[in-house]
Amino acid sequence: MTLPPNVYDAEPIPDTARAEIDRMLQSGDLFRYTAPENAPVALLEQEFAAHLGSRYALAVSSCSAALFLSLKALGLPRDARVLIPGFTFAAVPSSVVHADCVPVLCEVGDNYRIDIADFTAKLDNVQAVIISHMRGHTSDMDAIMELCTARDIPVIEDAAHSLGTTWAGRNIGTIGRVGCFSFQSYKLVNAGEGGIMVTDDADLVARAVIMSGAYEHNWAKHIDGDDTALRDAFAKWQNRLPLYNLRMSNLSAAIIRPQIAEIPRRVRDGRTNHDHVAALLNTSPWINVPQPLGPEQRAPDSIQFNLVNMSDDDTRAFAQAAAARGVKVQVFGLSADNARAFWNWQFLPEAPGDLPRTRAMLMRACDARLPARLTRPELDVIADALLQAATDVMGEARAYGT
Ligand SMILES: *Cc1c(COP(=O)(O)O)cnc(C)c1O
């Protein structure tokens, strides 16, 4: 019999990282600006930008740091209003507060995607937008880009959990003005901690590079070849911006670089795993896994689903029954102090309003990890435990004809 798998462990780091890390341990060369050129962090930036098809990449200490620097690099004034989804991780409103701006929350539907009507209604009063592709679910990027372009509102993509996702064939994170990714251990590429931002905008990246901690003329180590637009932008911003020191260490880059080649396999396996479990869960009358939008190709490493016709008590009982069967599920709106429930963001400078659709979704939306390394029998054990947990709570008979 297959037991419920450990879903928290990450994959081993590719063996090729070892030689490079050994070299660094020997030389002590851990700082990105020590070497005159080709530091591991600089090479990671070139490789990651090439992987996504972006002109520039800047590696930093976390995705939160990348979001913060993106807002600062846009030159938003103090108290600028930034529209974010009501369903995201607390790091997103936190980055807005850190940048001295005010988060404005818009509704998210029960398919975990931005409610475009509410988004449109709130757009005229904001100066920037962060689209958080929460758990890799992609909102309607065609509608969002059209609405924002018409109003000249910059779009930052929080693609922390969306590496490998595409929208109409384009890489998520390359559609807005800037895209931010995370290398924290629960994301597709794992360095423990780390983040990176990508953009085609020379002025924006020059500002972000300086503020990330490229003091004096260290910005020169970010120029690949003969990029005069970038060189001019650095010259323009020299000495004019504060240094926040959010740099990445060479050690992190050495752990990340060999994982870039693993991305396509992880994406492929994660999607196959997810779709297999989703099809099984959708056979239950008590469970609904929302469909992706048409142009979206997902890269999931977890599954989200809504409980149907269950009360709050049924929902709690479902999570308990699943745990008793060896599968841990979090209900975003019911677990105490959950960082993805907007009513727990009590640090917001302005009350977020009621957001009834988002709230209703959070009270029934469940989250279970589904890492790409799981085998088919392990996936079946997880799906079976969840299906049985729903039956434990709601009963077999009530599933039919009542
Ligand atoms: C993980 C995550 C973040 C934060 O990333 P860090 O690298 O830990 O700062 C932000 N947004 C989303 C959607 C995430 O999943």
Side-chain angles (χ1 to χ4, degrees):
M1 200 189 99
T2 310
L3 293 170
N6 176 335
V7 294
Y8 295 98
D9 289 354
E11 289 186 24
I13 305 303
D15 246 359
T16 47
R18 284 175 202 278
E20 178 70 352
I21 290 169
D22 252 357
R23 183 190 69 76
M24 283 184 213
L25 297 183
Q26 283 295 327
S27 65
D29 175 19
L30 303 179
F31 182 45
R32 69 165 298 161
Y33 293 134
T34 305
E37 57 191 4
N38 293 334
V41 179
L43 295 175
L44 165 66
E45 289 167 343
Q46 290 165 24
E47 290 159 3
F48 196 83
H51 178 80
L52 284 181
S54 291
R55 274 185 81 174
Y56 306 113
L58 170 64
V60 289
S61 53
S62 68
C63 181
S64 300
L67 290 167
F68 163 75
L69 284 173
S70 298
L71 292 163
K72 297 302 285 182
L74 285 170
L76 296 172
R78 182 177 287 272
D79 293 331
R81 300 169 72 78
V82 179
L83 192 55
I84 67 170
F87 174 44
T88 183
F89 187 57
V92 175
S94 302
S95 70
V96 179
V97 170
H98 191 188
D100 293 321
C101 298
V102 179
V104 177
L105 274 52
C106 79
E107 286 266 43
V108 171
D110 61 9
N111 65 353
Y112 321 126
R113 290 163 176 87
I114 286 170
D115 178 322
I116 297 296
D118 196 49
F119 181 84
T120 310
K122 289 173 174 163
L123 203 50
D124 284 327
N125 293 317
V126 302
Q127 281 142 285
V129 161
I130 298 179
I131 301 299
S132 196
H133 305 293
M134 187 54 175
R135 286 292 189 273
H137 298 286
T138 310
S139 296
D140 184 343
M141 290 307 290
D142 294 341
I144 288 166
M145 292 311 296
E146 194 181 315
L147 288 161
C148 291
T149 306
R151 291 163 179 78
D152 207 15
I153 295 174
V155 173
I156 298 169
E157 286 185 80
D158 166 21
H161 219 147
S162 281
L163 184 55
T165 305
T166 59
W167 175 265
R170 294 176 67 185
N171 285 316
I172 283 300
T174 67
I175 298 173
R177 179 87 64 88
V178 48
C180 302
F181 296 85
S182 175
F183 300 124
Q184 184 258 353
S185 287
Y186 285 152
K187 315 297 161 113
L188 197 85
V189 168
N190 163 30
E193 300 280 3
I196 199 163
M197 52 195 278
V198 297
T199 183
D200 290 339
D201 185 326
D203 199 66
L204 187 147
V205 83
R207 287 172 55 91
V209 162
I210 291 172
M211 286 189 280
S212 77
Y215 58 93
E216 296 165 353
H217 291 176
N218 279 312
W219 48 256
K221 294 174 182 171
H222 290 260
I223 298 177
D224 185 22
D226 187 27
D227 188 335
T228 48
L230 188 55
R231 187 171 293 279
D232 291 349
F234 282 129
K236 175 174 161 197
W237 292 110
Q238 179 76 57
N239 296 346
R240 292 180 55 199
L241 297 166
L243 308 171
Y244 295 103
N245 285 10
L246 301 165
R247 295 175 300 249
M248 177 181 277
S249 121
N250 281 341
L251 211 44
S252 303
I255 288 172
I256 295 164
R257 288 180 62 211
Q259 293 183 62
I260 293 178
E262 305 286 316
I263 294 171
R265 176 190 55 79
R266 291 179 188 174
V267 168
R268 193 175 58 239
D269 291 353
R271 186 185 302 150
T272 307
N273 290 355
H274 173 278
D275 292 353
H276 176 73
V277 173
L280 290 170
L281 295 186
N282 274 332
T283 62
S284 167
W286 315 115
I287 297 178
N288 177 41
V289 185
Q291 294 297 313
L293 301 184
E296 180 185 0
Q297 280 275 3
R298 306 200 57 227
D301 60 6
S302 62
I303 190 163
Q304 290 70 46
F305 54 91
N306 297 322
L307 298 176
V308 180
N309 289 330
M310 288 199 197
S311 67
D312 285 359
D313 284 346
D314 294 337
T315 302
R316 283 193 192 91
F318 168 82
Q320 275 165 19
R325 292 176 177 277
V327 175
K328 199 149 178 335
V329 163
Q330 72 166 331
V331 182
F332 295 112
L334 283 177
S335 71
D337 302 323
N338 194 296
R340 300 146 202 91
F342 64 86
W343 53 87
N344 290 328
W345 304 338
Q346 290 170 21
F347 54 84
L348 295 182
E350 211 172 85
D354 201 25
L355 305 179
R357 293 194 59 192
T358 309
R359 181 181 289 270
M361 177 274 286
L362 290 168
M363 295 305 278
R364 294 294 175 270
C366 300
D367 183 35
R369 289 182 50 75
L370 223 49
R373 62 177 164 73
L374 296 189
T375 62
R376 195 47 74 91
E378 289 172 331
L379 297 166
D380 288 339
V381 167
I382 291 175
D384 201 51
L386 296 172
L387 289 166
Q388 293 291 334
T391 308
D392 291 346
V393 174
M394 303 304 282
E396 200 82 61
R398 285 171 63 192
Y400 306 98
T402 50

